[in-house]
Amino acid sequence: MSVLFTNVTALLMDGDFTTLKHGYVSTAGTDIAYVGSEKPEGPFDRVIDCTGKVMMPGFVNAHTHVPMTLMRGYGGGHDLQTWLHRYIFPAEAKLDDRAVAAGTALGLAEMIASGVTCIADMYAHTDAIAREVLNSGISANLSCGGVYFGAPEDFSPDTCSDCKNQAHITELWHGEGNGQLLVDASIHAEYTSCVPLWEWMADFARTHGQRMHVHVSETRSEHEECLARHGMTPIRVLDRCGVWDNGGIAAHCVYTDGEDWAIMSEKDVFAVHNPYSNLKLGSGIAPIPAMAKAGVGICLGTDGMSSHNSADLFADMKLAAALHCGAACDPTAMSARQVLEMATVNGGKALGRKTGAILPGYAADLILVDFEAPNLVPCHDIAENLVYAAHGSNVVMNMARGKVIYENGTFLTLDLDRIRHEVRTYALPLIF
Amino acid sequence: MSVLFTNVTALLMDGDFTTLKHGYVSTAGTDIAYVGSEKPEGPFDRVIDCTGKVMMPGFVNAHTHVPMTLMRGYGGGHDLQTWLHRYIFPAEAKLDDRAVAAGTALGLAEMIASGVTCIADMYAHTDAIAREVLNSGISANLSCGGVYFGAPEDFSPDTCSDCKNQAHITELWHGEGNGQLLVDASIHAEYTSCVPLWEWMADFARTHGQRMHVHVSETRSEHEECLARHGMTPIRVLDRCGVWDNGGIAAHCVYTDGEDWAIMSEKDVFAVHNPYSNLKLGSGIAPIPAMAKAGVGICLGTDGMSSHNSADLFADMKLAAALHCGAACDPTAMSARQVLEMATVNGGKALGRKTGAILPGYAADLILVDFEAPNLVPCHDIAENLVYAAHGSNVVMNMARGKVIYENGTFLTLDLDRIRHEVRTYALPLIF
């Protein structure tokens, strides 16, 4: 499949914030073949006129738990412990693969309609998730979030179910779909496991060339309890076990400090900023401008739909841009362009993928945004409009890995009626 | 015109958070006639089946400068003084009535499409704004934001252009359209005028039965300079001049204190929370939960599109709900239901109107939200979905004063092509 986009206005996200105008972008197979102002030689299977639209890279949602879409808004407004123990955990305990598949498909539909082309997901039932992602057409780094609640001295990889699962999902899905799926090594969090699991997972990551996905310093109590337990922060105690040796993503990082940031910067560990989840759950405001200044790569995530309650990264871009300006009482504390990098090219780097930029050789993960919509008129600055004025429903086309998977409100890989039916007749009755 | 809505699921916003299910709502003329579970006697001019939708009151955008839609994103990312003096003020100086009309119509289109049925606007060129609002079908409290930069001893209402304008717009528009338009008395802010204007405007408000609309304590410097000048806060110095005697709306209130709140509560002065504008401009985070506890009525606004850059109050609801939970590290600091009250019934009270609740005798200002959209499935809690998961594009019908003005993406009172044409061929070339 090859596609030629004509009359292209595009934010290339090439590191220089180049805006291509009156240009051409072509794809060949899963990748971008050409970006420039000369019309490339054909033939092409399809030509798409981009007049009135703005092209940008598809979003990388760098931290999510997509099956939790089933729990959208469930138990909202309660304190964290009540929310988790009375609402979320009991519902999750009843999930099976079919319910997870339905919830995954529903979440992917919302993401695709609002411009996501790649995710980093952490959840159980990875086989069911993997199949839905493959079918949807977007890319994913999948992980299972390893936990181990036993005594450290009793740990054995031969009996640890999450170690066995890590091996299982790696064998089944790592690299599947010609790289559409990758499996990350993963530790759920410092407080839900212990040194021997961390060392085993670090070794597994090195052996299998996997990056790492961990929840880090999301809440003050989690951070301070780690300091009390280990005499060091989650970033540092995990680093001591080699967890960051292959780089990866540390989700949340609300309470990380300067010493953590030095390690993250050195070890290619990206912080995933999940601003809505952090605010809604009362976790706090991550020190993103300071982290960025310290050289930490920042990417953007929605977290699970249970603590957001949406998967529209436009909302997170807007919040990430405004929040830090407001918190610092400085309208220059965070720019629209910085936030666009977080949501696209930084996410690609964090996941070890060539996505998030419109450059030859990168994945053809591209979206078109309707700049004729009343909420995007006029346009004095494309980045300001995309970050502050656009929302997911302005996405009129989503191309993932060279294939158009959503166009003008229609899903081309997903059956929305079937998904809603599965959610309502199977998943919800099962778990609630 | 009379309309019967059947199969209604509605958040009534009646003070008890009642959810009507399998119900009926009917309208007669501009008002709601019936709300309940029995089918009312007809005949009706039209019947609208609400299956799969949720009805709620239309939003009250309680503080905006709608013509500034022309400046969406213009000069974004600069510090406040650069933004104002290099970008906004020079553009505003070139505006004429025709450009203001185009910008107003564009802003109204975006608001109507995202569920707004009533606004409180403050801007110059009020005649042009009034005509566009009347045509659009929504209701508005209009105000001109009086300024006076001369020496106090030189003040005379006979030579003060904003006093003359207040009298002019009151005569022309106050009560026009059978109450569709009201004119508020208005002072732009403490720092752009002085005691004799405040006293004149307070007297004018009392004489003409108008409420008051003022920018109050938006930035720290504005607040502290007032303290230095007058030895008291903006709320208090204005109160001493009788400005709040008829109640009204105080926009922003980021730096107000407990003593201010006691006055506001006593004098029926509502605070308008404009969370995105306050964050984006680096103004800070208004102490909304504390103000609400102190008995101050809180409503919600977008402020001008130049500092937001959108008019979608769903985004402000989500931010208002999450922001204060995050700032307080307490997920119960602000509930979805509180925020819905801010965006609807509180706005109605603040503007002195019977709107924002679905009750007989209230204005038939009603919207339908598509709860079959993937981002609103499943629905465990209507309020959680509306505040945290919905966005403006989920609005499939907007009825203002008993008339359907927007339905399934089509504007019934506005000509979007004509508006875009006027904006692009006339307004933008004139001012930029």
Side-chain angles (χ1 to χ4, degrees), chain A residues 64-72 92 95-96 99-108 111 119 121-126 128-129 304-306 431:
Chain A
T64 186
H65 313 287
V66 67
M68 294 184 87
T69 308
L70 295 171
M71 297 152 211
R72 187 197 304 283
E92 287 186 321
L95 283 169
D96 65 12
V100 163
T104 300
L106 178 66
L108 291 174
M111 290 185 187
I119 64 174
D121 198 79
M122 183 197 285
Y123 212 67
H125 302 272
T126 309
I129 298 169
M305 240 81 95
S306 46
I431 62 175

Side-chain angles (χ1 to χ4, degrees), chain B residues 98 102 415-427:
Chain B
R98 186 173 161 194
D415 179 344
L416 196 55
D417 287 335
R418 188 192 63 77
I419 293 168
R420 283 189 287 231
H421 180 76
E422 274 290 294
V423 165
R424 285 180 173 149
T425 62
Y426 185 76

Side-chain angles (χ1 to χ4, degrees), chain B residues 15-78:
Chain B
D16 293 323
F17 296 109
T18 306
T19 303
L20 175 70
K21 289 185 177 172
H22 312 294
Y24 298 88
V25 172
S26 74
T27 70
T30 59
D31 291 344
I32 296 170
Y34 174 83
V35 180
S37 52
E38 303 295 321
K39 186 172 180 178
E41 290 288 316
F44 297 97
D45 297 317
R46 185 175 171 197
V47 177
I48 298 178
D49 179 6
C50 301
T51 303
K53 321 281 197 298
V54 166
M55 179 184 284
M56 63 173 282
F59 292 119
V60 179
N61 188 342
H63 180 66
T64 185
H65 314 287
V66 67
M68 294 184 86
T69 308
L70 296 172
M71 298 153 211
R72 188 197 304 282
Y74 185 56
H78 289 91

Side-chain angles (χ1 to χ4, degrees), chain B residues 80-264:
Chain B
L80 191 66
Q81 292 308 313
T82 304
W83 178 70
L84 284 173
H85 291 278
R86 193 186 303 166
Y87 293 90
I88 299 302
F89 292 159
E92 287 187 322
K94 297 179 204 155
L95 284 169
D96 64 12
D97 274 6
R98 186 173 161 194
V100 163
T104 300
L106 178 66
L108 292 174
E110 185 182 351
M111 289 185 187
I112 287 168
S114 53
V116 170
T117 51
C118 185
I119 65 173
D121 197 77
M122 184 198 285
Y123 212 65
H125 302 272
T126 309
D127 294 349
I129 298 169
R131 282 187 283 267
E132 295 301 319
V133 172
L134 276 177
N135 175 62
S136 76
I138 73 167
S139 303
N141 284 30
L142 300 178
S143 64
C144 67
V147 301
Y148 178 76
F149 293 107
E153 57 274 23
D154 297 335
F155 175 86
S156 159
D158 301 330
T159 55
C160 169
S161 59
D162 282 2
C163 295
K164 290 192 282 185
N165 188 44
Q166 182 69 30
H168 162 79
I169 63 175
T170 297
E171 189 182 343
L172 227 62
W173 306 115
H174 190 46
E176 188 66 17
N178 194 25
Q180 186 182 350
L181 299 187
L182 294 175
V183 171
D184 285 342
S186 180
I187 295 158
H188 171 266
E190 173 275 332
Y191 63 98
T192 50
S193 50
C194 57
V195 169
L197 177 73
W198 307 339
E199 289 176 340
W200 183 89
M201 198 64 82
D203 187 57
F204 193 93
R206 283 187 298 264
T207 306
H208 294 83
Q210 293 177 333
R211 293 174 70 83
M212 190 65 66
H213 190 164
V214 189
H215 288 112
V216 170
S217 300
E218 179 176 2
T219 66
R220 185 184 297 278
S221 61
E222 165 201 339
H223 187 77
E224 290 181 350
E225 284 163 17
C226 176
L227 282 169
R229 251 191 306 274
H230 297 286
M232 59 186 97
T233 64
I235 285 284
R236 298 206 271 284
V237 72
L238 293 170
D239 183 53
R240 204 182 44 172
C241 295
V243 164
W244 306 123
D245 288 0
N246 265 16
I249 47 186
H252 302 300
C253 297
V254 179
Y255 293 95
T256 51
D257 64 22
E259 203 177 319
D260 293 337
W261 305 340
I263 292 169
M264 295 172 72

